[in-house]
Amino acid sequence: MAAVTPDEHERQQDGHCRARVNLRPAAARPFGAAARAALKDTLFPDDPFRGLGGMPPARRAWRVARYFVPALDWSAGYSAASFWYDLLAGVTIANLSIPYATLAGIPPVIGLYSCFVPPLVYAVMGSSRNLGVGPVATSSLLVASIVGGKVRASDDQRLYTQLVFTSAFFTGVLQAALGLLRLGILVDFMSRPAITGFMGGTAIVIMLQQLKGFLGMTHFTTKTDIVSVLRYIFHNTHQWQWQSTVLGVCFLIFLVFTEQVRRRRPKLFWVSAMSPLLVVVVGCVFSFLIKGHKHGIPIVGTLKRGINPSSISQLKFQPEYVGVAMKAGFVSGMLALAEGVAVGRSFAAMKNERIDGNKEMVAFGLMNLIGSFTSCYITTGAFSKTAVNYHAGCRTAMSNAVMSVCMALVLVALAPLFRHTPLVALAAIITSSMLGLVKHREIRRLYEVDKADFAVCAAALLGVVFSTMITGLGVAVAISVLRALLHVARPSTSKLGRVSCGSGAGAGAADDDHAFCDVAQYPGAATAPGILVLQVAGSPVCFANAEYLRERIARWVEDEEKAVAGEDLLYVVLDIGGVTAIDSPGIEMLREVHGELERKGMKMAVTNPRMAVAEKLVLSGLAELVGESWMFLSNGDAVAACRYTLQGSKHGGVPPV
Amino acid sequence: MAAVTPDEHERQQDGHCRARVNLRPAAARPFGAAARAALKDTLFPDDPFRGLGGMPPARRAWRVARYFVPALDWSAGYSAASFWYDLLAGVTIANLSIPYATLAGIPPVIGLYSCFVPPLVYAVMGSSRNLGVGPVATSSLLVASIVGGKVRASDDQRLYTQLVFTSAFFTGVLQAALGLLRLGILVDFMSRPAITGFMGGTAIVIMLQQLKGFLGMTHFTTKTDIVSVLRYIFHNTHQWQWQSTVLGVCFLIFLVFTEQVRRRRPKLFWVSAMSPLLVVVVGCVFSFLIKGHKHGIPIVGTLKRGINPSSISQLKFQPEYVGVAMKAGFVSGMLALAEGVAVGRSFAAMKNERIDGNKEMVAFGLMNLIGSFTSCYITTGAFSKTAVNYHAGCRTAMSNAVMSVCMALVLVALAPLFRHTPLVALAAIITSSMLGLVKHREIRRLYEVDKADFAVCAAALLGVVFSTMITGLGVAVAISVLRALLHVARPSTSKLGRVSCGSGAGAGAADDDHAFCDVAQYPGAATAPGILVLQVAGSPVCFANAEYLRERIARWVEDEEKAVAGEDLLYVVLDIGGVTAIDSPGIEMLREVHGELERKGMKMAVTNPRMAVAEKLVLSGLAELVGESWMFLSNGDAVAACRYTLQGSKHGGVPPV
């Protein structure tokens, strides 16, 4: 391997020869260019329009259009074979569209409406091929808990429903705006452990809510925490109706059984996928035959026939209501986004496909925006539907369109048939789908691998179960963000020593490769007396850690002085090769450290500053202060130079190295 | 330098010999120990109780007491000579205690009270030897703007004052709690550029408020933004009184002149330090002689004689008021903390002393808590007083006690004499002290060195001047925190190449040292075909950047494949030596990258994982997946091993290295 350096021929006069650190003072990029490059890398990490420059305008426009409307991408090569797979997948997931609407406190038919328009929009705009969209339990309950704080569904169902539509509108606006502004980055701050804990907690809360159905109760508390719910239930034993309980338990056992069948034999996925429909049909027939609603089995009631009516005129933008609608829309929108993107990514990873978070956001946003105009409430990528879609072998987003058509048929023709559905059947279906969301195995793995992640997960879960969903989510996100900030505030400093590792088999040199490693990790690493090599890594040096680093470096130096009590500590080498950026308080800190060391009669050397850091060092004059001959490319180089000067000053001769 | 490695004698069977990466699976620290170590380093970076274990209990208790009450530390060695310096400094800064209380909208005498009790408390508890404490302009105005939003001082002066006391109480609680919880770290997130901008903006806003005094106006707007203030002034020209203006301009010129004298000759610091007192005395005599208040020169009015009355019964904890008092207390408390700690640190740095942020917080907290019981409002370390203190040569916190005693004498004996003070004299004093806070030189330097820091500074300044102080502060802190988060969300990835640097003069080997550096920075760095060395640095690998890193690494690999179109890319070496921590989403990401590379027929190698990362790699089973023989200590080692296998597989022989 040939060693080529830009200024290899420059030799220092002071006795050691080395390649110069590239400080590039002349090549300092203007702020505009640097900021553009940083922005591009931050917002467009996937760089979607690479190599577009050379194309003719028409082809370029087509390529951009295909980027924004993925349907154009797959529709060209769409074949009959693909259609059959998509049809099978679509019909199957339509069966899963059992209304989550009851969770959101709105009429069940709105849940059906929400399975018609949004999947159609997603089929055109979405970038994932597997994602099945529709209402999901977590967002439904979240919307209910926020909107319910302002207007109770039981008091004014009409106003309540209008607020739910309005919140879907704001969800759409938020999601589309985040996508267009390429702020997919925000979703990254909802960490996987936080979402696991939140969803686990929500599943428990939702199952608690289903006790209403299982016990055949007609009233229920609006609170969601476990203490309030259990207290309400046991204070209202007179509402219990055993008929519902018996029916519900039967349904639940059947559903859990079919789910087990699917787990053991993935090929039989359609058994578990069709079972909700079967439960609904059996429930309808049964309660119709025995007139269940007169015998302790409450039913859904009238469902209007016909597809989605327009709801544009129902959106409420009055100052009195817009606040709560916005809050419900934004909070549940962020959550739905995180859930949808996460679901899409997990399944895409299995097929080795790529999902573009920003594009997904725009698709979700449009789907909710158009949904809010057509009597739909918040929808996103749903785990259960996506799983069925995947196992049914869907090929393109067309499966969503098929599901949408199936749902339209149901709405036009079959809706009235469902009025006899016992509420307990819905409760059983929801409960069975929630069981899989408490991911005890994943939680146990978190406990084993990373206790801090486990703490985030547990905080989210317990927060949701014992307080409110917002509390749980807020706590989890706050802990995650604080952890991220802590990493910035407390970068790692370590004392390095030389570890040698023979690199070439059969090569001539006996000691031809070495690394400088943490002496705490490699206790045998060799250190040179009088020279302290300190590494700063793990975070840019900035305002948030400048003061900490100053104190920490001072303590390292003090400790080293005590440790080498016999000899003087004369050189401190700062390895900042792992520091990617530095801001002005960071520069000030280095200046202070340099001053402090100088007062103690020590010399500071700097190893391998990266380009962005080197620019700042030169601009601020710190490079001049330290001296260019004290900036080295490698720790080995720095230590050798220090040793040379050290021994030269002691013995006045050329040192043995 | 002897090269010693823990398992130097272990040789690999596959043809290249090297020191093994220390994965320490057996030595994985239990979570408790690891968390304790991390917590200790996070909260006690200064490790105050080092070496306490071996002491007898009595000495240990004495040492701990000295740690918490610094007065015990310096009082033992306090000498008469020190006292004279402290007396000079104390008398001088007492002169500077011209009431900022008018800025806070409370009676001026409360400003005097606030210069009596808090300095006394600080003299006992504070760790800084230079800091002069008292009310400061920024916090005063901030409290006024928040409390004024609830109750206008002109409507109900009594209630307003009570709320200001209550907010001081909450300030004290917050500051003491932060200190006791060792959360000094929070202050670190108010960056220097943000504070510079905020203080500059506040200085401008405060000067605008002084136009009331300069124009002799009796009413004024409660708004602080430049547009509202100027509009009010020019809509109320009938209130203007030229007598005040003339007097004010004379005072201002005098004050600016003495300040210039101090700058040119630092030894004459007492000229500028005494000038505010002179202005007050001259103003009093002048307005007493010409009966100024009848000739367009409004005066302060009656000041009650006597030291601080108790204000415990005046604290308002009713639900109606507690919210606004808490907000005012917390926001201005955080700001006062940041300002006080920053001032203390800057002056301590000049004398090469150390300030403990957490101890300072406890001292500030107690000072405000006790202050709120004794008719004081929010106080902190003040820049002007500290500067005078420093130049007057103070030795210990005793100077604060002396100032406190001087103030008590004024309150007991001289207060009534000040009733004729013209308001315009106070306006001139405040204006002259604000002039120095718009640090145009520092702002220009920020512009030159770091445009992003300049943007934070400018946002804070413009936010304060054109909107409200809270807006300015909020925007600046939000930008700072977002920048810190961005560093975490977008770590740096770069392709490395080998740069050789001859380390030893006169040593035998021709190529005995090298470094792996960014090829973008060192275009001549040598890369090996078929092997891609990627460095991840700048942030821990965690949930916030896992997805980004996956995409970015995939793009690097794609780009490299295109670049070496002729030959196959077979090895990807990930240099994670600069990664200080990894969480479970980060581990998942590495697992996915490994899987993706394997599907492409590439081999992933890992270089120099640090201890915390190695622990996780082992626990999660990823170390096993990658294979321990593909984890290397240095990039040179990794590349050599890849080359060996590469060439071995091509030619079937031992490769030339």
Side-chain angles (χ1 to χ4, degrees):
Chain A
M1 188 188 273
V4 183
T5 59
D7 25 24
E8 194 187 20
H9 302 295
E10 288 205 47
R11 299 289 182 207
Q12 296 283 322
Q13 301 298 322
D14 58 347
H16 61 282
C17 55
R18 57 192 181 85
R20 292 268 303 278
V21 171
N22 184 3
L23 290 173
R24 287 206 170 192
R29 292 168 300 173
F31 176 66
R36 258 197 308 280
L39 256 185
K40 199 183 145 207
D41 200 51
T42 303
L43 303 181
F44 293 86
D46 52 339
D47 197 5
F49 302 123
R50 262 183 298 175
L52 217 63
M55 293 184 185
R59 237 182 104 195
R60 204 188 300 178
W62 173 240
R63 172 114 179 252
V64 170
R66 267 172 59 190
Y67 173 75
F68 283 112
V69 184
L72 296 175
D73 213 0
W74 54 257
S75 58
Y78 198 69
S79 68
S82 298
F83 177 74
W84 288 113
Y85 278 106
D86 285 341
L87 180 66
L88 180 60
V91 172
T92 317
I93 59 174
N95 287 335
L96 275 182
S97 304
I98 296 301
Y100 280 115
T102 47
L103 274 181
I106 49 179
V109 72
I110 294 176
L112 299 181
Y113 291 158
S114 304
C115 294
F116 172 41
V117 174
L120 220 48
V121 177
Y122 187 81
V124 178
M125 299 296 297
S127 70
S128 164
R129 304 187 163 198
N130 312 300
L131 203 68
V133 301
V136 294
T138 43
S139 313
S140 301
L141 201 61
L142 197 52
V143 168
S145 76
I146 298 176
V147 173
K150 178 87 184 172
V151 181
R152 291 180 62 162
S154 50
D155 293 347
D156 188 344
Q157 182 70 60
R158 196 183 136 77
L159 176 61
Y160 181 89
T161 308
Q162 288 172 337
L163 288 182
V164 172
F165 289 151
T166 315
S167 72
F169 172 81
F170 283 114
T171 298
V173 170
L174 173 81
Q175 292 177 337
L178 287 180
L180 290 176
L181 295 172
R182 313 276 317 176
L183 288 176
I185 189 175
L186 284 181
V187 172
D188 291 346
F189 278 98
M190 295 191 158
S191 70
R192 179 84 157 266
I195 292 180
T196 303
F198 177 77
M199 287 181 49
T202 306
I204 294 174
V205 164
I206 290 174
M207 286 192 275
L208 285 171
Q209 298 282 315
Q210 301 319 311
L211 290 176
K212 179 189 180 192
F214 277 104
L215 297 171
M217 296 168 82
T218 43
H219 296 91
F220 209 64
T221 172
T222 54
K223 298 232 173 96
T224 59
D225 63 297
I226 191 165
V227 178
S228 308
V229 170
L230 290 183
R231 184 182 294 153
Y232 182 88
I233 288 175
F234 286 101
H235 280 187
N236 291 275
T237 43
H238 60 275
Q239 281 194 45
W240 294 12
Q241 299 183 328
W242 64 267
Q243 299 91 333
S244 279
T245 313
V246 171
L247 194 61
V249 171
C250 293
F251 285 151
L252 190 58
I253 291 172
F254 171 70
L255 289 164
V256 171
F257 171 73
T258 57
E259 178 65 21
Q260 289 299 325
V261 168
R262 189 186 68 73
R263 283 220 184 138
R264 301 259 161 88
R265 309 209 170 173
K267 289 232 156 185
L268 295 178
F269 70 89
W270 53 270
V271 173
S272 106
M274 303 297 274
S275 59
L277 184 68
L278 198 64
V279 164
V280 168
V281 170
V282 169
C284 278
V285 172
F286 182 75
S287 79
F288 176 72
L289 291 180
I290 68 158
K291 296 206 183 330
H293 56 287
K294 291 183 183 160
H295 297 91
I297 301 177
I299 59 172
V300 167
T302 328
L303 284 179
K304 227 171 47 188
R305 180 187 297 204
I307 60 163
N308 306 18
S310 160
S311 58
I312 295 181
S313 61
Q314 300 208 34
L315 300 181
K316 303 282 273 187
F317 295 113
Q318 287 89 331
E320 195 185 341
Y321 302 114
V322 79
V324 67
M326 221 183 244
K327 186 179 168 198
F330 286 178
V331 174
S332 58
M334 281 303 290
L335 180 71
L337 211 51
E339 190 177 342
V341 173
V343 167
R345 276 179 177 161
S346 347
F347 283 92
M350 290 194 228
K351 281 196 184 173
N352 199 19
E353 291 166 358
R354 199 71 58 76
I355 295 262
D356 179 339
N358 290 305
K359 226 191 280 183
E360 285 293 284
M361 284 187 196
V362 175
F364 286 168
L366 277 181
M367 156 179 125
N368 280 310
L369 209 54
I370 298 178
S372 74
F373 299 150
T374 53
S375 301
C376 302
Y377 79 112
I378 183 170
T379 48
T380 185
F383 186 84
S384 53
K385 291 186 187 177
T386 310
V388 169
N389 221 359
Y390 180 83
H391 287 122
C394 73
R395 295 290 166 89
T396 64
M398 180 58 110
S399 58
N400 272 302
V402 173
M403 174 182 100
S404 177
V405 171
C406 295
M407 191 47 68
L409 291 178
V410 169
L411 282 168
V412 171
L414 308 175
L417 295 183
F418 286 106
R419 63 179 289 252
H420 284 284
T421 314
L423 288 179
V424 68
L426 301 184
I429 292 166
I430 292 174
T431 304
S432 75
S433 68
M434 287 302 120
L435 286 174
L437 288 184
V438 188
K439 296 178 181 148
H440 49 95
R441 276 209 199 84
E442 192 173 331
I443 295 175
R444 192 188 299 156
R445 247 191 96 249
L446 283 179
Y447 179 79
E448 281 160 7
V449 174
D450 192 330
K451 302 288 189 295
D453 279 344
F454 172 75
V456 169
C457 176
L461 196 148
L462 297 178
V464 171
V465 172
F466 286 97
S467 178
T468 64
M469 297 176 72
I470 297 280
T471 311
L473 191 62
V475 168
V477 170
I479 298 181
S480 299
V481 168
L482 276 181
R483 271 183 74 202
L485 284 179
L486 256 188
H487 286 312
V488 176
R490 294 288 180 261
S492 141
T493 52
S494 37
K495 180 180 164 185
L496 301 187
R498 185 183 172 116
V499 176
S500 85
C501 35
S503 71
D511 178 0
D512 57 346
D513 201 9
H514 64 261
F516 274 78
C517 297
D518 188 353
V519 293
Q521 189 176 4
Y522 299 91
T527 55
I531 306 170
L532 172 65
V533 183
L534 281 182
Q535 186 191 31
V536 177
S539 162
V541 174
C542 64
F543 66 93
N545 53 37
E547 197 51 41
Y548 167 78
L549 281 177
R550 202 171 67 83
E551 281 179 4
R552 203 63 190 76
I553 292 174
R555 215 174 103 206
W556 275 115
V557 171
E558 268 174 37
D559 287 351
E560 182 72 11
E561 280 179 313
K562 273 181 209 151
V564 295
E567 260 182 289
D568 284 346
L569 175 62
L570 288 175
Y571 298 95
V572 176
V573 179
L574 286 185
D575 177 357
I576 56 172
V579 173
T580 50
I582 192 166
D583 67 355
S584 44
I587 294 272
E588 285 314 305
M589 183 275 291
L590 283 185
R591 199 190 297 275
E592 280 171 25
V593 167
H594 180 263
E596 244 166 80
L597 291 179
E598 213 160 51
R599 267 193 294 276
K600 288 186 170 184
M602 299 174 194
K603 183 71 203 151
M604 179 170 114
V606 172
T607 302
N608 195 16
R610 298 163 78 102
M611 195 153 39
V613 177
E615 270 178 25
K616 294 275 170 62
L617 291 181
V618 170
L619 278 176
S620 64
L622 194 68
E624 211 177 329
L625 190 70
V626 174
E628 278 196 38
S629 60
W630 288 98
M631 305 186 97
F632 301 89
L633 259 180
S634 75
N635 286 324
D637 202 10
V639 168
C642 293
R643 280 165 64 83
Y644 180 84
T645 323
L646 190 65
Q647 308 218 348
S649 67
K650 269 187 191 160
H651 310 294
V654 176
V657 176
Chain B
M1 187 189 271
V4 183
T5 59
D7 26 23
E8 196 187 20
H9 304 294
E10 288 206 46
R11 299 291 181 204
Q12 298 282 320
Q13 301 298 320
D14 57 347
H16 61 280
C17 57
R18 57 191 181 84
R20 291 267 303 280
V21 170
N22 184 5
L23 290 173
R24 287 204 171 194
R29 292 169 299 173
F31 176 66
R36 257 198 309 281
L39 256 184
K40 199 183 146 207
D41 200 50
T42 302
L43 304 182
F44 293 84
D46 50 340
D47 196 6
F49 302 124
R50 262 184 297 174
L52 217 64
M55 294 184 185
R59 238 184 102 196
R60 205 188 301 178
W62 173 240
R63 173 107 181 254
V64 171
R66 268 172 58 191
Y67 174 74
F68 283 111
V69 185
L72 296 175
D73 213 0
W74 53 257
S75 58
Y78 199 68
S79 67
S82 298
F83 176 73
W84 287 113
Y85 277 106
D86 285 342
L87 180 66
L88 179 60
V91 172
T92 317
I93 60 174
N95 287 335
L96 275 182
S97 304
I98 295 300
Y100 280 115
T102 46
L103 274 181
I106 48 178
V109 71
I110 294 177
L112 300 181
Y113 292 158
S114 304
C115 294
F116 172 42
V117 174
L120 219 51
V121 176
Y122 188 81
V124 178
M125 300 294 299
S127 70
S128 164
R129 303 186 164 198
N130 312 300
L131 203 68
V133 300
V136 294
T138 43
S139 313
S140 301
L141 200 61
L142 196 53
V143 167
S145 77
I146 298 176
V147 173
K150 179 86 182 173
V151 182
R152 290 179 62 161
S154 49
D155 293 346
D156 188 344
Q157 181 71 59
R158 194 182 138 78
L159 176 61
Y160 181 89
T161 308
Q162 288 172 339
L163 289 183
V164 171
F165 289 151
T166 316
S167 73
F169 172 81
F170 283 113
T171 298
V173 170
L174 172 82
Q175 292 177 337
L178 286 180
L180 290 176
L181 295 172
R182 314 276 316 176
L183 288 175
I185 191 174
L186 284 180
V187 172
D188 291 346
F189 277 97
M190 295 191 157
S191 70
R192 180 83 158 267
I195 292 181
T196 302
F198 177 78
M199 286 180 53
T202 307
I204 294 174
V205 164
I206 290 175
M207 286 191 276
L208 285 171
Q209 298 282 316
Q210 301 320 311
L211 290 176
K212 179 190 179 190
F214 276 104
L215 296 171
M217 296 168 83
T218 43
H219 294 92
F220 209 65
T221 173
T222 54
K223 300 234 171 94
T224 59
D225 63 296
I226 191 164
V227 178
S228 308
V229 169
L230 290 184
R231 185 182 294 150
Y232 182 88
I233 287 176
F234 286 103
H235 280 188
N236 291 277
T237 42
H238 59 276
Q239 281 194 43
W240 294 13
Q241 299 182 328
W242 63 269
Q243 300 91 335
S244 279
T245 314
V246 171
L247 194 61
V249 169
C250 293
F251 285 150
L252 189 59
I253 290 172
F254 171 70
L255 289 163
V256 170
F257 171 73
T258 58
E259 179 63 22
Q260 289 300 323
V261 168
R262 188 185 69 73
R263 284 221 184 135
R264 300 258 161 87
R265 308 207 170 177
K267 288 233 158 184
L268 296 180
F269 70 88
W270 52 269
V271 174
S272 107
M274 303 298 274
S275 58
L277 184 69
L278 198 64
V279 164
V280 168
V281 171
V282 170
C284 278
V285 172
F286 181 74
S287 79
F288 176 74
L289 291 180
I290 67 157
K291 296 211 182 328
H293 57 287
K294 291 183 183 161
H295 298 92
I297 301 177
I299 58 171
V300 166
T302 326
L303 284 178
K304 227 171 49 190
R305 181 188 296 207
I307 61 163
N308 305 18
S310 161
S311 59
I312 295 181
S313 61
Q314 300 207 34
L315 299 181
K316 302 282 274 186
F317 295 114
Q318 285 89 331
E320 194 186 342
Y321 302 114
V322 79
V324 67
M326 221 182 244
K327 187 179 167 197
F330 286 178
V331 174
S332 58
M334 282 302 291
L335 179 71
L337 212 50
E339 190 178 341
V341 173
V343 167
R345 277 179 175 161
S346 338
F347 283 94
M350 289 194 231
K351 279 197 183 172
N352 198 19
E353 291 168 356
R354 198 70 58 75
I355 294 264
D356 179 340
N358 289 306
K359 225 192 279 186
E360 285 293 283
M361 285 188 194
V362 175
F364 286 168
L366 278 180
M367 154 179 126
N368 279 309
L369 209 55
I370 298 177
S372 74
F373 299 150
T374 52
S375 300
C376 302
Y377 80 113
I378 183 170
T379 48
T380 186
F383 186 84
S384 52
K385 290 186 188 177
T386 309
V388 169
N389 220 359
Y390 180 82
H391 286 122
C394 73
R395 296 290 167 91
T396 64
M398 182 57 113
S399 56
N400 273 301
V402 173
M403 174 182 100
S404 177
V405 171
C406 295
M407 191 47 67
L409 290 178
V410 169
L411 283 168
V412 171
L414 308 175
L417 296 184
F418 285 106
R419 64 178 290 251
H420 283 283
T421 314
L423 288 178
V424 68
L426 301 184
I429 292 166
I430 292 175
T431 304
S432 74
S433 68
M434 287 302 119
L435 287 174
L437 288 184
V438 188
K439 296 177 181 151
H440 53 260
R441 276 208 199 86
E442 192 171 333
I443 295 174
R444 192 187 301 156
R445 247 191 97 248
L446 283 179
Y447 179 79
E448 281 161 7
V449 173
D450 192 331
K451 301 289 189 296
D453 279 344
F454 172 74
V456 169
C457 176
L461 196 150
L462 297 178
V464 171
V465 172
F466 285 97
S467 178
T468 63
M469 297 176 73
I470 296 281
T471 311
L473 191 63
V475 167
V477 169
I479 298 181
S480 300
V481 168
L482 277 181
R483 272 184 73 201
L485 284 178
L486 256 188
H487 285 313
V488 176
R490 294 290 180 260
S492 142
T493 53
S494 37
K495 181 181 163 184
L496 301 188
R498 185 184 171 115
V499 176
S500 86
C501 35
S503 72
D511 179 357
D512 57 347
D513 201 8
H514 64 262
F516 274 78
C517 297
D518 188 353
V519 293
Q521 189 177 3
Y522 298 91
T527 54
I531 306 170
L532 172 65
V533 183
L534 280 183
Q535 186 190 33
V536 177
S539 161
V541 174
C542 63
F543 67 94
N545 53 37
E547 197 53 38
Y548 166 79
L549 281 176
R550 201 171 68 84
E551 282 178 4
R552 203 64 190 73
I553 292 174
R555 216 176 101 206
W556 275 114
V557 171
E558 268 173 40
D559 287 352
E560 182 72 10
E561 280 178 313
K562 273 181 212 153
V564 295
E567 261 184 290
D568 283 347
L569 176 62
L570 287 175
Y571 299 94
V572 176
V573 179
L574 285 186
D575 177 358
I576 55 171
V579 173
T580 50
I582 191 166
D583 67 356
S584 44
I587 293 273
E588 285 315 305
M589 184 275 292
L590 283 184
R591 200 189 296 274
E592 281 171 25
V593 167
H594 180 263
E596 243 167 82
L597 292 178
E598 212 158 53
R599 267 194 295 275
K600 289 186 171 184
M602 300 176 193
K603 183 73 204 152
M604 179 171 115
V606 171
T607 302
N608 195 16
R610 299 163 76 103
M611 194 151 41
V613 177
E615 270 176 24
K616 293 274 169 64
L617 291 181
V618 170
L619 279 176
S620 64
L622 194 68
E624 210 176 329
L625 189 70
V626 174
E628 279 196 36
S629 59
W630 287 99
M631 306 187 97
F632 301 89
L633 260 180
S634 75
N635 287 323
D637 202 10
V639 168
C642 293
R643 280 164 66 84
Y644 180 83
T645 323
L646 189 64
Q647 309 219 348
S649 67
K650 270 187 192 162
H651 311 293
V654 176
V657 176

